[in-house]
Amino acid sequence: MDELLDVIGRPDLPSLIVVTGPAGIGRTTLLTTVREELAARGRHTAAMRFSPDSDAIPGYLPDRWSDHRDSPWPVAGPVTGAFDDPALAYFTAAGMAATLLAAERAVLLIDDAQWMDRDDIAVLEQLARRLAGTAVSCVCAVRVPAIARDGDLRRAAIRRLRRDGLVHTVRLRGLRRDEVAAELASMLRHTPDAALVDHVHRGSRGIPSALHDSVETLRQNGSIRLAAGHAYLDRAEEPDGPIGHRRLTTAMLELGPDSWTAAKAVAVLHPLGSALPRLLAEALACTEAEPSDRIAVLRQAGVLHRGLAGTTWRFPIPLVATALLGSLGPYEKQHLARIAVTALWSGAAHCADPDYLADQIAAAGRLVDPAPARATLLARAEAALSDRPATARRWLRAAADLAEDVEQYASITLRQVLAGYLAGDTDGCLDETASLLEHCPEQLTRDAVQSLQLMAVFTRYAKGDFDTLRRIAERRRDRPHGPPPGPVPRAMALSLLDRWAEARSLLTRTAETWRGTETSALFGICLHSLAEFWSGRTRELEPTLRPGDDPLSRTVEPLRSQLVDAYAAGLLATGDLSGTEKLLTDSDVPAEQLNPSGRALLAAMHGWAGQAIELGRRCVATAPLRGGDPGRAPMLLQVTELLVAQGRLTNAREMLASGRSAGPPLAHLLDCAEALIHHTLGEPDDATGRLRQALDAAAANELLVGTDLCWSLLTELSLARGDRDTAARCLVEIDRVAEAMPDGRAATHALLIRATVTGDRAAAEACLRLVRERGQPFEVARSISRLAGGGLGDPALLAEAYELFGGLDALLERAWLRNLMRAHDVPIPGRRETVAENERLLGLLVSEGLSNKEIAQMLRTSGKSVEGRLSRLFTRTGLTSRIELARALLGDAFPG
C-alpha cells in the first residue's frame, strides 16, 4: 500500500497507475484500504468497478466502501462507439477529467479493469493523456494474465501509454514467508509454527485468497491445533470431498462452464505430461483440437503453466489444483481416474510419481481390473505405512473394496485399521475395529484380535473416552458385539487411567495367558516392566522389544516404535539420560522418531531449553494417540521447571492445564509441577498441599517415580519455614526411594537432601560430583545454587551456575542467584548486561499478567520496589502502560 500511496497525486509522475496481480492477490482489498487512507487524509475519491459483462458499476467497492457512497463525481456509463470514434472517446474523457479536476487532488479508483471492453479502453487511454501533469490520479486494478475480452487492445493501449511515459505500474507479489506467518498469526490469534507456515505458503504461493482458503480447509479438517498461544499443523491431509476453497473456486468459475469442466479434468490428468491434450479430448468427448483451445484459456488465465514444450504441466498455485479436485463429483472422479489408469497401464502415458497411479486406481475403483489394481495399492500402501500412514490408509481402503473374499477383506482392513491408528484417525480406527471384531471374527487370529483391542484402547484414550476405558478395564465390551477384552488391553486401560497397581497385579496373575500371543507378549512385558520399575520393585528397566528370537509380525512391526517410546519414557521419567540414549542406540531408533514428549525431555536434559519448550507445546497440542504417551506427564513437569526458571509462569500454567485435560498417566507429576509454581509465587501452604496430594496419589498406585522431586521440593519448603521435623522425615523417605531406584535421579536428590538437612559437606560434594557425571545443565545449576547458596560448597561455584542458567535463558533463576552472589561476595559479570536483563525480566513478568505483589514475591523484593522499577522503566522507554510494555516485549520491540 505504501508504494501505491507514494505515487498517487504526484504531478511529476504518470497519472495512470496500473495495479497488476493474479486472481486472489488482493487488488480489491488494496483499493479499499487505499481509499480509506486517502479519505482520512482529506483526499476526494471516486470509484467504479467493471463486471464480466463489461458493465461499469459506479461508486462501487465492497465491504467498507459503503460508507463513502456520497462521492460527488458522476462516473461515465457505457460509451458505445468510443473505440471507432476517437472524437467521442476524447470528449468523454475530457468530461470525466473536468469533473475530477474540479476537486483538489482527486483520485479515481477502477477495479477489475480487465473486464473493460474496447470502448472503455479507448476512453481510459484518452483520460490518461488528459490528466498528464496534474495532481489527479487514476488507479486501475487489473488481473494478470488477462482473461477477458479485448485483451490485445488493452495491452496495445498500455504499450502506447508506456511509450509516452504516461503509465506507472505497481505489481503486487505474493506474500513472503514471513508475511504469511504474520497473516496466520492475525487470523488464528496464535503464533503459527514453522510446519504450518511452510504448508500454507507452499500451497498458496503467498496469494491471499489461496492462503485464506487453505486455513479454512485446515480448520474444518481439524488439522490446526492450538496450545499455549501457538498454532500447530497436526496433519495436512486434504479432505476427499469439497470443503473450503470458496475464493479459489469462485475465481475459476469466472472462466465459464467449458473452462471450468476442462480445468477439473486437467487437475487430474496434468501429471501425465505430453499425453494431456489427447487424454483431455477423451475425457471431454470432443475433438483433439478443442482441448488445446481450453488449455490455452487456462494458461492465459494463469491457472496452468506449460513447461518443456508441453511435456510437463503444473498449477502455479498448488492449492488451485486441490480446489478443483475437491470439486469433482463421484462419477467425474471415477471417469477421469479410469482414463489415467488405462493410459498408464497401456504405456500411452507416463508419470514419474509412483503415487499418482495408486491415487488414480483408488479413485477409479471397480472401473479398472481389480486384481492388478489391488496388488498396486497394497504394495504402495506398505511402502508408505510408516511415514505417510494417512496416505497408506486411503490406498488400503480402496484395496479392501477390491477384495476377492471375506478373508482377503479382513486381512486388508486389519492393515487399514493400523494405518488409521498411526495417522490419528480416531473415529475411522474405532469404526473399522468394531466392524472387524463383530463381522469377521473367524478371519482374525488371536494376535490380530489383541492388536485391534490395544489400538482401540489407545484410540479411546486419545478421544478422552474414559468411561469406555473403565468398562474395558472391568472386562466389559466396549461394543455390544465382539470378544471381551484380553488381559493386556485391560491392563493398558488401567494404566491409562493411572491405576498402575491394578494393572501390574492383573498382568502378574494372567502372565501365562497373555504371553502366548506375540502382540500381547510385547506390550504386556513392556507395561509390566514399567510398572515394576516405577514402583521400585526392580532396579533396572530391561527393554524387551521382541518375544524371544521370533521376528516381529507384519501387524506388530509398525507398532515397534511405540514400544521404544514407552521404554524411553520409563527411563526419562527417572531422569536417566544416558540410559535413554543407550536404548535408542541399541534399538537403532533415532531420537527424532520419538514422541514429541520424549524429544522434549531429551532436549530439556541436554539443556536445550527453547527446543524443549517448543516440543512441549507441540505435544500438548496433539492427541496422545501413540501408545498413550506415558512420557507426557514427566515432560510437562520438566518443561514447567524450565518455564518457571525463565519467569514464564502463565505459559507454564497454560501448558499444565492443556496437559492435565488429556488425563495423562503419572498425573501425580503434574501436582508436583503445580507445587513448583505455588512455591515460586510465595504460596508455601498451597505448594505443600499439592506435594502431599502428589505423594498420596503415588502411594495409592505403589509408584516411586517422581517422588524424589516431591520430597526434594518439600524439604526446601520445610527448611524455609523452619520445620525440621518434616525435613527429617523427607530425608528418611528419599533414602527409601534412592535405595529402590539407585541409578536414576533419586540418588542425587537423596544426597542433596542429606546435605541441606544435616549440613553434611561430604554428601554435598558427592551430590555435586554425581550431577556433573549425569551432565544435565539445569540439574547441575540447581544443585549448585541450593548447596553453595546454603553454605555447603565453595561460593565461587555460584558463577558456574549463573553461566549455566544463562544458557537456559533462566532469567528468574539468574535474578535469584544474583542475590546469593552478592550475599557471598561473588562478582556478578557484566553490569550493563545485568541491568538490561533485570528490565527484560520485569517486562516479561508484566507480560505474564502478574500483579505487582506477585512480581515482588517472585523477585524476592517489596511491592514498593517493583513499583519504582516499573516507573523508571516506563520513563526510560517512553511507554505508558503495562499493556504497551508487554506488547513491546512480545513483539521483539522492547526498547533497551
Side-chain angles (χ1 to χ4, degrees):
M1 183 178 74
D2 291 341
E3 180 184 356
L4 184 54
L5 289 171
D6 287 342
V7 298
I8 287 176
R10 288 179 53 178
D12 60 322
L13 293 177
S15 292
L16 178 61
I17 303 167
V18 177
V19 178
T20 65
I25 194 66
R27 299 180 313 278
T28 299
T29 300
L30 175 64
L31 292 189
T32 303
T33 306
V34 165
R35 185 169 192 262
E36 291 183 339
E37 179 61 27
L38 292 171
R41 297 180 182 184
R43 300 288 293 272
H44 298 292
T45 60
M48 59 194 303
R49 172 185 179 255
F50 285 85
S51 64
D53 57 7
S54 293
D55 289 339
I57 306 172
Y60 170 86
L61 273 178
D63 301 330
R64 294 168 288 177
W65 287 72
S66 58
D67 295 335
H68 305 287
R69 290 179 179 170
D70 56 348
S71 172
W73 304 289
V75 178
V79 185
T80 304
F83 178 78
D84 296 318
D85 185 351
L88 177 59
Y90 174 82
F91 285 114
T92 301
M96 295 178 66
T99 302
L100 293 167
L101 289 167
E104 184 179 355
R105 302 171 68 209
V107 180
L108 173 62
L109 303 169
I110 302 176
D111 195 19
D112 283 339
Q114 73 272 5
W115 300 117
M116 283 182 164
D117 64 17
R118 57 196 299 176
D119 295 324
D120 298 318
I121 294 168
V123 173
L124 179 65
E125 181 176 0
Q126 291 298 325
L127 180 63
R129 297 182 183 282
R130 180 67 184 82
L131 295 176
T134 72
V136 174
S137 292
C138 175
V139 180
C140 290
V142 184
R143 178 193 301 175
V144 292
I147 63 173
R149 65 187 70 79
D150 298 325
D152 292 339
L153 294 175
R154 181 172 54 257
R155 285 189 289 273
I158 293 296
R159 280 197 298 270
R160 289 192 295 271
L161 291 171
R162 185 172 287 119
R163 178 197 63 199
D164 297 336
L166 297 177
V167 62
H168 180 86
T169 301
V170 175
R171 293 181 176 85
L172 301 184
R173 54 168 177 76
L175 300 176
R176 299 187 307 269
R177 186 185 181 283
D178 60 320
E179 292 171 326
V180 169
E183 184 67 16
L184 287 173
S186 175
M187 293 174 65
L188 302 173
R189 298 185 182 277
H190 286 69
T191 302
D193 81 318
L196 176 58
V197 175
D198 288 341
H199 175 79
V200 173
H201 186 244
R202 183 170 54 252
S204 69
R205 291 294 190 266
I207 304 300
S209 63
L211 185 154
H212 284 260
D213 275 358
S214 178
V215 173
E216 285 181 13
T217 298
L218 291 171
R219 275 174 159 168
Q220 294 177 50
N221 199 27
S223 297
I224 295 179
R225 299 294 187 110
L226 306 177
H230 289 68
Y232 296 93
L233 181 66
D234 188 20
R235 49 194 172 94
E237 289 288 319
E238 290 291 343
D240 292 335
I243 181 172
H245 307 313
R246 292 185 301 103
R247 299 165 184 82
L248 293 177
T249 51
T250 298
M252 290 295 301
L253 286 167
E254 288 183 355
L255 299 176
D258 289 344
S259 295
W260 169 251
T261 302
K264 290 191 291 182
V266 169
V268 175
L269 301 172
H270 76 278
L272 299 178
S274 57
L276 173 62
R278 178 173 49 79
L279 297 177
L280 186 58
E282 180 182 351
L284 301 179
C286 60
T287 64
E288 290 197 12
E290 188 174 343
S292 297
D293 294 337
R294 297 199 187 183
I295 289 173
V297 171
L298 297 178
R299 291 179 60 200
Q300 185 184 28
V303 173
L304 187 66
H305 176 78
R306 177 176 181 262
L308 299 177
T311 60
T312 63
W313 303 88
R314 67 178 176 85
F315 286 81
I317 304 175
L319 203 63
V320 170
T322 303
L324 291 167
L325 292 172
S327 300
L328 288 168
Y331 173 74
E332 285 181 299
K333 188 180 296 186
Q334 277 193 305
H335 171 62
L336 293 167
R338 180 194 61 78
I339 291 173
V341 172
T342 302
L344 288 167
W345 278 352
S346 68
H350 302 278
C351 180
D353 181 5
D355 290 349
Y356 178 76
L357 176 59
D359 284 338
Q360 299 315 311
I361 289 174
R366 291 194 173 270
L367 292 185
V368 297
D369 189 348
R374 184 176 59 249
T376 300
L377 289 170
L378 290 174
R380 293 304 304 158
E382 285 303 312
L385 186 61
S386 61
D387 58 342
R388 293 181 296 150
T391 300
R393 168 178 164 72
R394 177 160 43 83
W395 292 335
L396 287 165
R397 183 170 60 225
D401 291 339
L402 300 175
E404 294 179 345
D405 50 40
V406 176
E407 185 174 351
Q408 192 177 70
Y409 172 82
S411 174
I412 296 173
T413 305
L414 181 62
R415 301 298 284 170
Q416 181 185 339
V417 173
L418 176 61
Y421 168 71
L422 295 174
D425 183 358
T426 54
D427 291 332
C429 181
L430 287 173
D431 290 343
E432 289 148 11
T433 295
S435 177
L436 278 175
L437 291 174
E438 293 173 17
H439 303 300
C440 304
E442 296 179 359
Q443 284 73 36
L444 298 174
T445 65
R446 286 182 59 200
D447 200 64
V449 170
Q450 291 296 295
S451 297
L452 288 169
Q453 289 184 341
L454 276 168
M455 286 187 283
V457 167
F458 292 135
T459 304
R460 292 289 185 189
Y461 174 67
K463 288 174 66 68
D465 187 358
F466 298 111
D467 288 339
T468 300
L469 284 181
R470 280 187 279 271
R471 287 200 297 273
I472 293 172
E474 295 162 6
R475 206 171 182 269
R476 290 186 287 163
R477 294 178 176 89
D478 62 334
R479 299 265 183 161
H481 306 287
V488 173
R490 287 178 58 205
M492 194 64 70
L494 286 166
S495 71
L496 294 174
L497 293 169
D498 226 4
R499 292 158 59 178
W500 287 89
E502 295 174 68
R504 182 182 55 78
S505 175
L506 173 61
L507 290 172
T508 301
R509 293 195 315 269
T510 60
E512 292 184 4
T513 302
W514 54 261
R515 286 182 181 272
T517 59
E518 187 176 23
T519 302
S520 292
L522 283 168
F523 282 89
I525 291 171
C526 176
L527 186 57
H528 191 265
S529 297
L530 287 178
E532 292 280 291
F533 180 61
W534 282 342
S535 66
R537 285 177 171 79
T538 179
R539 293 189 168 202
E540 293 184 5
L541 183 63
E542 298 180 359
T544 302
L545 301 176
R546 295 174 181 268
D549 296 324
D550 296 333
L552 291 170
S553 69
R554 290 174 69 249
T555 302
V556 174
E557 176 59 35
L559 300 178
R560 182 171 179 269
S561 60
Q562 291 187 199
L563 297 169
V564 177
D565 270 319
Y567 283 118
L571 295 167
L572 289 168
T574 64
D576 190 351
L577 176 59
S578 61
T580 304
E581 292 180 331
K582 182 178 183 301
L583 165 71
L584 297 178
T585 300
D586 293 345
S587 306
D588 194 25
V589 173
E592 292 75 19
Q593 290 185 11
L594 287 177
N595 265 329
S597 63
R599 301 202 305 273
L601 277 164
L602 283 173
M605 291 179 183
H606 278 293
W608 307 327
Q611 182 180 345
I613 292 169
E614 174 57 26
L615 285 167
R617 288 196 191 102
R618 180 185 296 277
C619 182
V620 300
T622 56
L625 179 63
R626 218 170 77 177
D629 195 0
R632 182 165 292 215
M635 177 277 297
L636 284 167
L637 173 56
Q638 189 94 42
V639 171
T640 296
E641 288 183 324
L642 291 174
L643 286 169
V644 169
Q646 293 181 352
R648 300 179 184 273
L649 269 70
T650 301
N651 270 237
R653 283 168 165 164
E654 289 174 352
M655 283 193 64
L656 280 175
S658 297
R660 195 182 285 277
S661 66
L666 308 181
H668 64 283
L669 299 180
L670 303 187
D671 289 324
C672 183
E674 294 276 7
L676 178 62
I677 293 175
H678 286 300
H679 174 48
T680 304
L681 287 171
E683 300 165 350
D685 292 340
D686 291 332
T688 299
R690 281 289 188 178
L691 289 171
R692 296 197 182 283
Q693 183 175 322
L695 291 166
D696 289 344
N701 279 295
E702 301 178 13
L703 293 172
L704 293 181
V705 61
T707 57
D708 55 320
L709 297 168
C710 296
W711 291 119
S712 182
L713 183 54
L714 187 58
T715 301
E716 189 174 354
L717 287 163
S718 301
L719 292 176
R721 63 174 46 166
D723 185 354
R724 305 292 302 183
D725 291 340
T726 299
R729 182 189 164 217
C730 291
L731 176 58
V732 172
E733 295 294 340
I734 193 63
D735 281 342
R736 181 175 65 87
V737 175
E739 183 179 356
M741 309 178 77
D743 295 328
R745 183 186 52 224
T748 66
H749 284 285
L751 290 168
L752 178 65
I753 292 175
R754 178 166 298 281
T756 55
V757 172
T758 67
D760 187 337
R761 290 184 172 272
E765 292 175 2
C767 176
L768 290 177
R769 187 164 54 251
L770 182 55
V771 295
R772 291 187 194 283
E773 289 175 3
R774 286 166 51 78
Q776 299 177 30
F778 185 80
E779 187 179 67
V780 173
R782 282 288 289 140
S783 298
I784 290 174
S785 177
R786 287 182 65 177
L787 292 170
L792 292 167
D794 185 354
L797 292 175
L798 294 174
E800 178 188 351
Y802 191 72
E803 184 176 351
L804 287 171
F805 280 136
L808 297 165
D809 199 28
L811 300 181
L812 186 58
E813 287 280 2
R814 276 166 66 93
W816 291 341
L817 207 54
R818 282 193 287 271
N819 293 335
L820 287 174
M821 292 168 77
R822 292 188 190 98
H824 290 85
D825 295 324
V826 176
I828 300 172
R831 175 172 173 75
R832 292 182 62 182
E833 290 79 2
T834 297
V835 172
E837 189 172 297
N838 276 331
E839 289 187 347
R840 183 180 164 216
L841 175 59
L842 187 59
L844 174 62
L845 297 178
V846 169
S847 74
E848 290 282 297
L850 301 174
S851 67
N852 283 4
K853 181 180 179 181
E854 290 173 320
I855 293 173
Q857 184 60 50
M858 289 181 63
L859 296 181
R860 298 173 182 173
T861 186
S862 66
K864 191 170 184 179
S865 173
V866 170
E867 187 176 336
R869 289 168 63 179
L870 278 172
S871 178
R872 289 191 295 273
L873 183 56
F874 286 135
T875 300
R876 188 184 70 75
T877 61
L879 301 174
T880 59
S881 71
R882 295 169 69 96
I883 294 177
E884 286 184 355
L885 188 66
R887 284 177 178 169
L889 180 69
L890 296 176
D892 294 326
F894 187 69

